[in-house]
Amino acid sequence: MSGHTEASIVIDAPFQLVWDMTNDVPCWPGLFTEYALTEVLERDGNSVTFRLTMHPDENGTAWSWVSRRTADPGTRQVRAQRVETGPFEYMNIHWTYAEEAAGVRMTWIQDFQMKPGAPASDEQMTARISHNSPIQMQAIKEKVEAAARRPPARAVAWSDAQPNRRRGGDTRVIVGPATCGSTSGFLGVATLLAGEAIAEHYHPYSEEFLFVTEGTIVVDLDGTPVPVQAGEGLLVPAGQRHRLRNTGGERAQAVFHLGPLAPRPDLGHVDTESAEQAAELAARQARLDAGPAAQAAELAASAQ
């Protein structure tokens, strides 16, 4: 007795992308849903020997074995076999790729035989593989097609990003959904001239990572001022009110990253004051920081 299964799926993506992603063994845990870990043991030309470890099963057992896989780009085929056969007498897998009008048809053909006393018979393992292969293929299809839809990688210049001055200062999203198709967060630059402030707000869904690259920025976290100097970073937890102020005499600049994204862009920020209110507060705080002498000089000048 022996077992035999065959399954195929059409992936709507360029052939080279399908080939590259499905043959990138170290990245299989992110492609298959059943694998927890891959460890490459040896490479020899187009052949790779590697250890696969599955996620624990319902009994808490994490199955692991060594396989060898040889790719032939010329014929668009891959042949693999288990080196550590475990419960199998043998396990051979033949992958084929064929371009069609709707995309690339990827086919898996598996031939095997179970050892006497194995926990599953040939018929049981055939049923198990026949059930699982379409599930794994669908997961791979979705991930490869998602990769195919991503915009091509490109560098975005600060000068090309749209400035946002609604909350005060100059805030620009450099890498984000609109500029690069990101799906989990966005990165930008905030610029504050001397005395400028970005109005208090909070992010219901996102943490904000702030790194000051120039000058010093005072971040008011729920009303508590936290000075952040050039070369320092700060985490603003989701839901925490914060305001940015430049209390120095020179320009200040910071790189920020927010993630994860809110369900909709309009839900990402909640304003708790206007830009005008923030500017008034920053000016008032600057006068207090200047001390009594500077305040007296300002009053005297205004009286003349």
Side-chain angles (χ1 to χ4, degrees):
M1 293 291 293
S2 62
H4 174 88
T5 66
E6 182 171 338
S8 70
I9 197 166
V10 176
I11 302 175
D12 184 11
F15 168 79
Q16 197 60 51
L17 180 64
V18 177
W19 177 270
D20 290 344
M21 288 186 67
T22 58
N23 286 289
D24 187 1
V25 173
C27 292
W28 275 8
L31 196 62
F32 292 79
T33 64
E34 60 184 346
Y35 298 143
L37 179 68
T38 56
E39 179 187 2
V40 173
L41 304 177
E42 181 186 7
R43 288 188 182 275
D44 181 13
N46 288 330
S47 296
V48 57
T49 303
F50 56 97
R51 176 171 292 281
L52 270 176
T53 303
M54 301 184 72
H55 291 289
D57 62 16
E58 62 276 8
N59 298 316
T61 302
W63 297 96
S64 181
W65 65 91
V66 174
S67 290
R68 184 169 177 82
R69 179 180 176 84
T70 301
D72 185 347
T75 62
R76 299 184 172 184
Q77 299 181 65
V78 180
R79 294 189 181 274
Q81 59 281 330
R82 288 199 181 195
V83 177
E84 294 179 356
T85 58
F88 296 90
E89 291 283 4
Y90 63 87
M91 164 62 86
N92 298 322
I93 308 175
H94 183 200
W95 296 46
T96 66
Y97 301 81
E99 289 187 271
E100 300 181 356
V104 178
R105 180 174 295 279
M106 180 179 69
T107 302
W108 298 345
I109 303 169
Q110 302 189 56
D111 290 290
F112 57 89
Q113 184 173 338
M114 306 304 295
K115 290 179 178 177
S121 65
D122 291 338
E123 293 81 4
Q124 289 171 326
M125 185 56 67
T126 297
R128 185 178 301 176
I129 294 174
S130 297
H131 171 76
N132 188 55
S133 290
I135 295 173
Q136 297 306 314
M137 284 183 155
Q138 182 63 33
I140 291 170
K141 171 184 171 71
E142 292 173 1
K143 291 169 184 174
V144 175
E145 289 181 349
R149 291 193 297 268
R150 291 190 199 113
R154 70 183 185 95
V156 181
W158 177 88
S159 57
D160 292 337
Q162 185 69 27
N164 183 344
R165 298 186 174 88
R166 185 167 65 86
R167 294 182 177 87
D170 181 317
T171 303
R172 305 185 187 210
V173 174
I174 312 297
V175 178
T179 61
C180 301
S182 64
T183 59
S184 63
F186 60 89
L187 176 145
V189 176
T191 304
L192 294 170
L193 300 179
E196 284 189 331
I198 294 176
E200 185 184 77
H201 60 283
Y202 66 91
H203 310 290
Y205 299 93
S206 310
E207 293 180 318
E208 181 169 357
F209 303 86
L210 190 73
F211 182 78
V212 176
T213 58
E214 183 180 341
T216 298
I217 294 177
V218 174
V219 183
D220 297 320
L221 293 175
D222 286 338
T224 300
V226 180
V228 186
Q229 301 178 7
E232 294 181 337
L234 180 71
L235 169 65
V236 181
Q240 185 165 42
R241 295 180 293 111
H242 55 286
R243 176 192 304 109
L244 278 63
R245 296 185 286 123
N246 180 0
T247 59
E250 304 292 336
R251 186 181 82 159
Q253 198 166 66
V255 175
F256 60 86
H257 173 266
L258 275 80
L261 293 174
R264 299 198 316 265
D266 59 298
L267 300 177
H269 290 72
V270 177
D271 294 317
T272 53
E273 68 182 3
S274 66
E276 292 74 21
Q277 289 172 322
E280 291 174 5
L281 184 146
R284 184 166 62 251
Q285 188 62 47
R287 288 194 296 270
L288 292 174
D289 293 342
Q295 295 174 38
E298 182 180 348
L299 289 172
S302 63
Q304 292 179 354

